[in-house]
Each structure stands twice: as C-alpha cells, then as structure tokens.
Amino acid sequence: MPPLDVFTMLVMTAAASFAMAGAMGAVRPHKREGVGLWALALLLHASCYVLYALRGVAPDWASVVLANTLLSGSFALTLAAVEQFQGRPQPWWRMAVPLVVVAALFAWFIDSYAARQMVSGTVLPAQLLLVLWALWRPHSPEQRRGALLLSVCVLIEVLLLAGRGWLALTGRMDNTGLLQISPSQSVVFVMAFVTVILSSLGFILMTKDRADAANLRLATHDPLTGVVNRRALLQVLARDVAQAARARTAYALVLLDIDHFKAVNDNHGHLAGDQVLRHVAQVLGTRLRRQDLLSRYGGEEFLVLLPDTDLAGALQLAEALRHAVQATPCPHASGLIGVTVSLGVCAARPHGPDCGEAPIESADQALYAAKAAGRNCVRHGPAPDCGAGADVS
C-alpha cells in the first residue's frame, strides 16, 4: 500500500469539518440542545487543520500555537455542546483551563515537536474524557444510540492522542514533523477524518432521538395533565385484554368523573379547572401500581386500567382513589378547592381478544349509577359479553 500524503489528509479533514459545520449550522432546533455549539466546534476543528496544512508556510505561532489552541477550543466547545444538550450550565472552568494550558505549553515548546506531542497526549485526551463524563454522568442519556456512537469516536481519539504522547515520551516516534509521512501519521489523520464525521452524526442522532421521543409523547399523552391520552389508552387496552385472555387472568378498569366540574369552572374560572384536572391526575397517579395505567379519557373523565385485578381488588382500589381525592383539596390562589369523584368499575376474565370497548361501556354504566346514587361513590357494572361470562370476584 503506498504511503498516504499527510497534506491531502489534513485538507480532507478540514473539508469534512467545514461541511459538517455547515450542515449542523443549518439545523435550527426550537430548543438550545448544543447543535450550534457543536457546529462552532467543527469550525474551530476545520480551522486548526487548515493551519496544520500550512505548516512550513505560515509562521510557527499560527501553524503550531494557534492551531493547537483552536483544537483545544474545539474540544472545549464539544464539552459545552454536550452540557447544553443535557440541560446543564456551561462548565467555564473546565473549558478555559485546558485551553490556556495548551496555548502556554505549545508556545513554550514551539521548537520541540516531541514535547508538543507529549502535551497533546495528555491535555487533549483529558478534555475528551471530560466530554465522556458529561455525556454519561451523573445520569446516562436516554438517547443511547447516538451517545454510544459519539462515545466510541471520542474513545478512539483519546487512544490515538494518548498513544502518540506515549511514543513521544519513550522516543519511539516514527516521524519528526507533522507533515512527514509515516504509519502513525496515516493512522491518526485517517481516524481524525472518520471520527469527525461519525461523532457529529452521533450528536445529530441524539437530538433526533430526543425529538422523536418528544413527538411520541405528544401523540400519546394529554398535554394538560401529562397522563396517557384516549388514543394511546385504547391501544393499550386492546393489547392488555388479549394478553389477559391468553394468560386466563382477571382484568379490570375504573372510569371516574370529577363531580360538579362545571361549577368549578363557573365559580373559579377555567384556569382553576385546569389546575383541578392536573391535581386530580397527580393524586390518582400516586395511588396506582407500576403496572396500572392512568389516562384522561375526555373532559373531566379519567380511566384507569388494572391488569391482573379481580372485582374485589378493583373495588378496593376505586374506594381508595375516591377517598384520596376527597381528602386532598386542590390548592388555588383563592383558597383550597374541594373535589370529589364518582367511579364506575368493570372486572372480567376475558376468554378472547375481541372485547373492544365493551369493558369501558360497562364501567360507564356503573359510573352513571354512581352519579344517580348521589355522586362521590363507587359502583360496579356487569362483565362485558365478550367471553368473560361474569364479574370476577
């Protein structure tokens, strides 16, 4: 294999960095998620490699000191981009100190290529390890695919830079200048070209996965209360009923309605009504098991799915929910707003997946019975006619 031309690799890496910076700069997310900072880091990275390519033409203060300071600055901005993506404040000290150290040491060792490699093999890997720490600590990111790709690229850069520093320290370097062709130079700059592209794609993937997750939540959750919406609930109900039929287990649901909710809006205003809805959803959610599902079914109605629950258990939980709402008034600027709920329960042991919304219809009949009985009470309806046969007690 013929040796790779170092100048060409430097120009290609600079071109790749400029291209990725332009692509990411064209992305304008609604939230500040570090994309702009990452694009700026790529611009510094590209400028660094342009100055590298001018080694021997441009003065040493530019092609040595300024170039490596720009490289350190690109790593500092990478750290800032990750911190902004994580929603944390900028780590100014962790960004500034390595930058100053690199500028000072490269100016001091401007005439010693080996010494500069030792500096690059210590300070720059430390900066990249700070990026990894910010990415995975104190909590790992939910966007794992992009984070893993980014982490692999960063680790490759750490190993390459540290390896060059070790070769310089032990006197085993196979080159005495940046533009000298050698196996180690070829590996370093080829991997720099690859990692600048893949790490940027990893960061883009992180932002994309976050946006997808946000869109999915908007599609499946009620924006006011934060609980599952009706569309997502019906999908879960169909899946759970089919699973209960296969496992021959009991299944129950509770439909509840806030009593006299119109009076809350009339007396306190619609903003107070919204606050009551959020408050009731919060109270209900804290009383449910991990496998239960709370949803806003419509207006002031909420529906709770209770897998592996018989009628006795569903009635017991419904009574606990009723009591919890009654005992926890909603705080409001005008004072506490007392709230009660009426609840309808349906429980069955499905023998087939074709129940559809029949369990909800049964719970709805029970809810009407609770309202007719004076509200703030629990009633249960018959098991739906979909192979269940009878209420499960």
Side-chain angles (χ1 to χ4, degrees), residues 114-138:
R116 297 200 305 267
Q117 293 307 307
M118 284 185 275
V119 174
S120 296
T122 53
V123 181
L124 298 182
Q127 284 188 277
L128 292 173
L129 289 175
L130 287 175
V131 173
L132 284 182
W133 180 266
L135 185 60
W136 293 98
R137 294 289 184 271

Side-chain angles (χ1 to χ4, degrees), residues 250-254 287-289 292 304-321 343 345-348 378 380 391-393:
Y251 195 87
L253 53 82
V254 177
R287 268 69 178 182
L288 299 178
R289 304 168 301 179
D292 300 335
V304 184
L305 303 185
L306 305 172
D308 197 19
T309 304
D310 59 16
L311 179 61
L315 289 173
Q316 182 179 4
L317 175 63
E319 186 61 35
L321 295 177
L343 305 96
V345 176
C346 172
V378 178
H380 71 89
D391 290 342
V392 176
S393 57

Side-chain angles (χ1 to χ4, degrees), residues 65-370:
V65 180
L66 179 58
N68 286 282
T69 302
L70 288 174
L71 182 59
S72 177
S74 72
F75 291 167
L77 287 173
T78 299
L79 173 62
V82 171
E83 292 284 16
Q84 190 175 88
F85 178 85
Q86 301 284 42
R88 296 192 290 260
Q90 297 301 311
W92 296 112
W93 283 106
R94 283 178 285 160
M95 294 167 58
V97 170
L99 192 66
V100 173
V101 170
V102 166
L105 291 179
F106 270 82
W108 182 263
F109 295 116
I110 194 170
D111 296 323
S112 175
Y113 181 73
R116 297 200 305 267
Q117 293 307 307
M118 284 185 275
V119 174
S120 296
T122 53
V123 181
L124 298 182
Q127 284 188 277
L128 292 173
L129 289 175
L130 287 175
V131 173
L132 284 182
W133 180 266
L135 185 60
W136 293 98
R137 294 289 184 271
H139 303 292
S140 60
E142 296 179 359
Q143 297 74 27
R144 292 293 185 90
R145 296 187 305 167
L148 288 173
L149 178 58
L150 173 57
S151 298
V152 169
C153 293
V154 170
L155 283 174
I156 290 174
E157 285 289 325
V158 168
L159 293 175
L160 290 175
L161 289 169
R164 292 182 76 192
W166 173 253
L167 291 176
L169 180 64
T170 58
R172 300 176 184 176
M173 293 186 64
D174 55 4
N175 65 303
T176 57
L178 180 70
L179 298 180
Q180 181 181 350
I181 297 174
S182 69
S184 66
Q185 293 286 72
S186 298
V187 171
V188 167
F189 290 121
V190 166
M191 293 310 302
F193 176 80
V194 172
T195 56
V196 73
I197 296 175
L198 292 184
S199 61
S200 299
L201 291 177
F203 193 80
I204 293 172
L205 188 57
M206 287 167 57
T207 61
K208 176 186 178 299
D209 285 350
R210 173 178 285 181
D212 289 346
N215 290 334
L216 178 61
R217 180 170 181 82
L218 287 174
T220 58
H221 287 71
D222 173 51
L224 177 62
T225 62
V227 300
V228 170
N229 62 22
R230 180 170 180 165
R231 175 173 174 240
L233 166 104
L234 295 178
Q235 294 175 347
V236 175
L237 176 62
R239 180 200 66 194
D240 285 359
V241 167
Q243 182 176 349
R246 290 193 301 270
R248 304 287 181 172
T249 57
Y251 195 87
L253 53 82
V254 177
L255 182 63
L256 61 94
D257 183 272
I258 300 176
D259 295 330
H260 306 296
F261 184 72
K262 184 177 183 302
V264 174
N265 286 326
D266 292 342
N267 296 331
H268 301 279
H270 289 280
L271 291 179
D274 291 345
Q275 189 167 342
V276 167
L277 287 170
R278 288 191 293 267
H279 171 75
V280 170
Q282 182 179 11
V283 172
L284 297 174
T286 58
R287 268 69 178 182
L288 299 178
R289 304 168 301 179
R290 183 185 299 270
Q291 65 266 36
D292 300 335
L293 181 67
L294 171 66
S295 69
R296 186 179 178 192
Y297 193 62
E300 64 272 21
E301 288 186 334
F302 293 87
L303 186 61
V304 184
L305 303 185
L306 305 172
D308 197 19
T309 304
D310 59 16
L311 179 61
L315 289 173
Q316 182 179 4
L317 175 63
E319 186 61 35
L321 295 177
R322 185 198 66 79
H323 182 268
V325 173
Q326 183 181 17
T328 314
C330 175
H332 187 256
S334 61
L336 296 177
I337 302 176
V339 183
T340 62
V341 291
S342 301
L343 305 96
V345 176
C346 172
R349 194 179 298 275
H351 288 205
D354 300 325
C355 282
E357 298 184 32
I360 300 178
E361 295 176 3
S362 177
D364 192 37
Q365 295 174 12
L367 174 60
Y368 276 105

Side-chain angles (χ1 to χ4, degrees), residues 54-67 106 110-111 116:
L54 295 175
R55 183 73 56 86
V57 178
D60 286 349
W61 67 264
S63 64
V64 175
V65 180
L66 179 58
F106 270 82
I110 194 170
D111 296 323
R116 297 200 305 267

